[in-house]
Amino acid sequence: MELRHLRYFIAVADELSFSRAAQRLHIAQPPLSQQIKDLEAELGVKLFDRKTLPIQLTPAGQAFLEEARATLVQLEQAVHKTQRIDQGELGYLTVGFPSSIANGVFPEMPG
């Protein structure tokens, strides 16, 4: 499974229309439909009830939508955190000093 599958699935779930989701994603509708069919085959479940118009999420599709959204949010957070660490905004600072300096600078701490 690839991240684009999650993004495509979320777009279709938001729009409840393959054609509107394809427009939103700036891709053609037939490849989008195929990607969703591939995702359903990989999961072994139907995510959409295509018998109704507008299409509807199945119960499995609704559960997958919640998890797909959470996955993308977590990914965004991981990217942001990684960038902040790289820029020195997050992380650890280790300070080392010889014990002879510590005895004169820091008060004795009870053990």
Side-chain angles (χ1 to χ4, degrees):
M1 183 178 312
E2 299 178 26
L3 289 175
R4 69 183 156 91
H5 290 113
L6 298 181
R7 289 186 179 101
Y8 291 174
F9 167 71
I10 290 169
V12 175
D14 287 347
E15 299 292 337
L16 295 177
S17 165
F18 283 92
S19 58
R20 285 195 309 267
Q23 289 174 345
R24 175 174 144 185
L25 294 166
H26 306 289
I27 63 173
Q29 187 269 326
L32 174 61
S33 294
Q34 187 58 52
Q35 291 292 319
I36 297 301
K37 285 180 184 177
D38 292 346
L39 176 61
E40 289 175 323
E42 184 173 344
L43 294 172
V45 300
K46 289 288 182 192
L47 298 171
F48 295 99
D49 178 1
R50 293 168 176 81
K51 296 175 191 161
T52 63
L53 287 178
I55 62 172
Q56 298 294 316
L57 286 164
T58 63
Q62 185 62 47
F64 190 70
L65 178 61
E66 293 171 20
E67 296 301 327
R69 286 189 199 281
T71 298
L72 292 184
V73 167
Q74 187 174 9
L75 175 62
E76 287 176 23
Q77 291 171 345
V79 168
H80 184 67
K81 182 177 182 178
T82 300
Q83 291 169 339
R84 290 187 65 203
I85 288 171
D86 184 62
Q87 295 167 357
E89 296 175 13
L90 287 177
Y92 296 97
L93 174 64
T94 302
V95 178
F97 49 85
S99 61
S100 59
I101 293 176
N103 292 336
V105 175
F106 296 111
E108 191 166 319
M109 302 185 92

